[in-house]
Amino acid sequence: MVSQHGILLAAGLISDHFGPIVAKVCECLLRHGALHLPEIARRLKLPRNHLKNSLLVLIQHNCVQAFSYPRPRGAGCRAVTLYLAIFDNVLHRLRFSKFLSVIHADIPESEVLIEGLLQNGRLTFDQLVECTISKVPERTTRPEREEIRLNFNKLVYARYVERCPKPEPSFDPDEQPTPARRRVQKTVEEVLSLEQKIVNTATLSDAERFSEIPYNMEDASNANDCPRNAVSGAKRKYGTFEVDEERDSTSAENEVLWRINFEKFIFRLKKKFCADRKKPRLKVGRHPIWESFFEANLADKDTNSVTSSINGILERLGQKEGGAAMTLDQITRVLEDLQCTSSTDDPEAFTFDLCKMVEACRNEEIESLVKKKYGQEAFTIFRLLVTQGCPVETDRIIDTTILDKQIVHSTLYKLWKDDYMDSEKITSAPGTGYAQFFVWRAKNTFCEQFIDILYHAALNLRQVVNYIAELLLEGPKDKIERPRKQKDKIKLLERRRDILIQALIRHDDSLMLFHDF
């Protein structure tokens, strides 16, 4: 369930991009879950056409997924269409600039295509071609359709772009798994939320999602421009049939909608975050090996780890200063010191577990907050409880942390009062000398509390940025003031706005760490 500040942040992003009416519809779906059209209209009291247009905008930009809910027989209509807001996709609108930087570093020639999909949402290939050509400056050579198709297929092959999911899949939230499958799927079904289940139901298979535009489709479009009279004699009938068949396949291909594959971009940002986070702690001479390890990872088959072959690492390392002089034993020792393990599938490859590092980074962020808010003693106690992962007795906390008993008691009370930990009173067995004692455990929900704090901070930053933007649009209120002073005030506001935008971008790294990674 999304927190209050998370909903306000998502609604604010939608309002900035599409206006207040669309934001109202999105906020309603985020607060109340999947709803059908009459229910949304009843809650918001909006005109039917405004409501439909708002839903179309949200679907077009991958923020809402429609699905068909089958009604029981005898209930009139057999199925009803429900609409569900996808909170993750709304939040991704914060990091479009980061997505563009990923493409600029990986496939720079396809950056314009990604920009078109980010700005316009779902597009057919023909629409994307028109969008790309329209962005070419005047008196500049326009790219050919074949060149655009090649660059587009690079994105599909690298899985940055995918075919859109099913527009309205059938899904029954109340449907229970069959007895034969219940044992296998029980643990999975408990983890997945309703949003994840519907997204998985709508998602196409990998073969369909990442099916490139074949060459014959382009040839067929050229064939459509040729007059039929060009085919004569005995070949006329066969040629006409062949062109008609290609025309049908081309029209079917042109109806395919494409969109950004957010999963791929988030994984690339996750890799970059882990690589950059560890760099400051590396010893001298280890930076080139660490960078080469991540650069050699080409196949992103697993989103929880990075695997690179030793040959790929050596190839990348040879291109760096001083890398060619390193021996294989030196590289292997460094990789093992950096917690890279030998791959189970390939003995000549190394694997780094991203999940462990993400978990460690999350704990560091929360411990840093506890230290700033409550002091060094609270930081020491909280780290002990997180590391233990189980209930710890008060006397054991005092003995392990070597802190004063009074300080430990007061600190534990503060952390318990602010919901950072749970306390339980346990009655001891007869003859042990103690009638009862307390045990303490770090709460599993402290990550959710920290995420809500991050949402709140991002919401405040965005509101201040919008306020400064409004001031810049209004211009100077004091008309009598000298022009030089007015220019200085405008420059100061612009500088503050730019600083706050950069702060919001950096803050989004922490948001991704806890929510997306």
Side-chain angles (χ1 to χ4, degrees):
M1 187 68 182
V2 184
S3 67
Q4 175 74 10
H5 293 120
I7 293 173
L8 292 174
L9 175 62
L13 290 170
I14 295 297
S15 179
D16 290 345
H17 294 178
F18 307 116
I21 295 178
V22 182
K24 280 184 180 179
V25 176
C26 183
E27 184 176 355
C28 177
L29 293 175
L30 287 171
R31 289 188 184 280
H32 304 289
L35 299 173
H36 59 289
L37 197 61
E39 181 65 18
I40 303 172
R42 185 186 68 81
R43 290 179 180 274
L44 296 179
K45 298 178 181 179
L46 288 174
R48 195 88 168 187
N49 59 335
H50 288 180
L51 187 56
K52 285 185 176 180
N53 290 337
S54 298
L55 287 171
L56 286 174
V57 168
L58 291 170
I59 292 171
Q60 169 70 18
H61 289 270
N62 309 301
C63 299
V64 164
Q65 174 65 52
F67 66 97
S68 178
Y69 174 70
R71 285 183 176 179
R73 293 182 180 178
C77 183
R78 290 188 178 179
V80 62
T81 301
L82 298 177
Y83 300 92
L84 179 73
I86 310 299
F87 176 73
D88 291 357
N89 289 1
V90 177
L91 205 61
H92 289 329
R93 305 191 69 83
L94 262 177
R95 48 194 72 118
F96 279 0
S97 59
K98 295 180 180 179
F99 294 165
L100 287 173
S101 65
V102 168
I103 290 297
H104 183 74
D106 197 3
I107 315 175
E109 61 272 18
S110 302
E111 187 177 353
V112 181
L113 297 173
I114 288 293
E115 188 177 353
L117 289 171
L118 289 173
Q119 289 177 348
N120 301 289
R122 305 180 179 194
L123 295 176
T124 63
F125 180 67
D126 283 347
Q127 291 172 334
L128 194 55
V129 170
E130 292 176 6
C131 179
T132 304
I133 293 175
S134 67
K135 291 182 179 180
V136 177
E138 294 183 2
R139 299 178 183 178
T140 307
T141 305
R142 291 187 175 185
E144 297 292 334
R145 185 183 177 92
E146 174 67 14
E147 181 185 351
I148 296 174
R149 184 189 60 77
L150 289 172
N151 293 335
F152 182 78
N153 277 345
K154 290 178 183 178
L155 293 172
V156 178
Y157 179 76
R159 302 198 169 192
Y160 287 115
V161 170
E162 64 177 357
R163 298 188 183 220
C164 289
K166 301 170 188 174
E168 193 176 318
S170 179
F171 179 79
D172 186 358
D174 301 325
E175 186 179 358
Q176 297 294 331
T178 58
R181 296 182 179 178
R182 188 169 295 169
R183 290 184 179 179
V184 180
Q185 295 186 352
K186 186 175 181 181
T187 55
V188 178
E189 292 294 329
E190 289 174 350
V191 174
L192 295 180
S193 63
L194 176 65
E195 178 182 320
Q196 291 171 325
K197 290 178 184 177
I198 293 171
V199 169
N200 292 343
T201 304
T203 303
L204 304 173
S205 64
D206 283 357
E208 293 176 288
R209 286 173 68 192
F210 307 110
S211 177
E212 301 175 16
I213 300 177
Y215 291 90
N216 61 350
M217 295 300 175
E218 297 298 310
D219 298 337
S221 63
N222 294 332
N224 292 340
D225 299 333
C226 299
R228 290 191 179 187
N229 296 334
V231 183
S232 59
K235 295 182 180 180
R236 179 181 178 88
K237 185 176 182 181
Y238 173 77
T240 304
F241 175 76
E242 187 180 43
V243 171
D244 289 343
E245 187 181 35
E246 288 175 341
R247 183 184 292 110
D248 293 340
S249 62
T250 305
S251 60
E253 184 67 26
N254 288 336
E255 291 173 0
V256 173
L257 288 170
W258 300 87
R259 71 171 189 176
I260 297 293
N261 180 19
F262 292 120
E263 294 177 3
K264 172 71 175 186
F265 281 98
I266 291 299
F267 177 65
R268 288 299 305 272
L269 292 174
K270 182 178 178 180
K271 281 172 54 179
K272 185 178 183 301
F273 175 86
C274 292
D276 294 343
R277 189 69 176 244
K278 203 160 190 171
K279 277 182 183 179
R281 306 174 188 179
L282 297 179
K283 296 180 181 178
V284 179
R286 292 189 172 187
H287 287 83
I289 299 175
W290 183 243
E291 291 173 356
S292 301
F293 171 76
F294 277 89
E295 290 171 4
N297 173 244
L298 300 177
D300 300 332
K301 295 180 181 179
D302 183 12
T303 58
N304 295 322
S305 62
V306 175
T307 302
S308 301
S309 64
I310 192 66
N311 292 330
I313 297 171
L314 289 170
E315 182 182 349
R316 300 299 191 285
L317 195 57
Q319 301 170 4
K320 299 183 183 297
E321 185 179 355
M326 295 183 182
T327 63
L328 183 61
D329 291 338
Q330 286 177 325
I331 297 169
T332 304
R333 269 199 313 273
V334 170
L335 289 173
E336 289 174 351
D337 290 343
L338 295 173
Q339 299 177 344
C340 297
T341 58
S342 297
S343 175
T344 54
D345 299 329
D346 185 3
E348 294 187 354
F350 285 88
T351 301
F352 180 76
D353 192 343
L354 296 176
C355 288
K356 287 184 178 178
M357 185 162 186
V358 165
E359 188 65 28
C361 292
R362 286 175 179 172
N363 291 337
E364 287 176 7
E365 292 283 340
I366 295 172
E367 289 168 3
S368 175
L369 175 67
V370 171
K371 185 176 181 179
K372 289 177 182 177
K373 193 173 182 180
Y374 302 102
Q376 180 66 38
E377 295 82 4
F379 165 75
T380 306
I381 294 171
F382 188 77
R383 169 171 277 191
L384 171 66
L385 295 176
V386 170
T387 306
Q388 293 293 325
C390 61
V392 183
E393 190 183 348
T394 309
D395 289 345
R396 187 182 168 191
I397 294 173
I398 296 170
D399 294 339
T400 307
T401 58
I402 323 176
L403 293 172
D404 183 71
K405 186 176 181 179
Q406 194 69 24
I407 293 175
V408 170
H409 284 180
S410 61
T411 306
L412 287 171
Y413 176 74
K414 289 178 185 176
L415 294 173
W416 170 79
K417 187 179 179 181
D418 290 347
D419 288 333
Y420 280 92
M421 59 179 61
D422 286 323
S423 176
E424 185 180 356
K425 186 188 293 185
I426 297 178
T427 305
S428 60
T432 56
Y434 291 98
Q436 58 186 16
F437 59 92
F438 287 89
V439 292
W440 306 84
R441 181 205 295 265
K443 267 193 173 182
N444 295 327
T445 58
F446 64 79
C447 279
E448 297 175 6
Q449 297 175 35
F450 193 77
I451 291 174
D452 189 54
I453 293 171
L454 295 175
Y455 288 150
H456 195 184
L459 178 65
N460 290 339
L461 281 171
R462 192 196 61 80
Q463 288 175 345
V464 175
V465 169
N466 288 347
Y467 175 71
I468 294 177
E470 289 176 3
L471 290 179
L472 290 171
L473 285 174
E474 291 175 0
K477 294 182 179 179
D478 191 358
K479 302 296 183 181
I480 306 174
E481 201 172 25
R482 293 181 181 180
R484 179 176 289 182
K485 286 188 176 181
Q486 292 178 0
K487 288 181 180 179
D488 291 342
K489 284 186 177 181
I490 290 172
K491 286 182 179 179
L492 181 62
L493 286 174
E494 288 176 346
R495 197 179 304 117
R496 287 177 179 175
R497 180 198 59 191
D498 294 341
I499 290 171
L500 289 171
I501 289 173
Q502 291 300 320
L504 183 58
I505 292 172
R506 289 194 299 270
H507 180 76
D508 183 53
D509 291 339
S510 298
L511 202 55
M512 285 192 295
L513 173 64
F514 282 87
H515 183 265
D516 299 285
F517 295 166

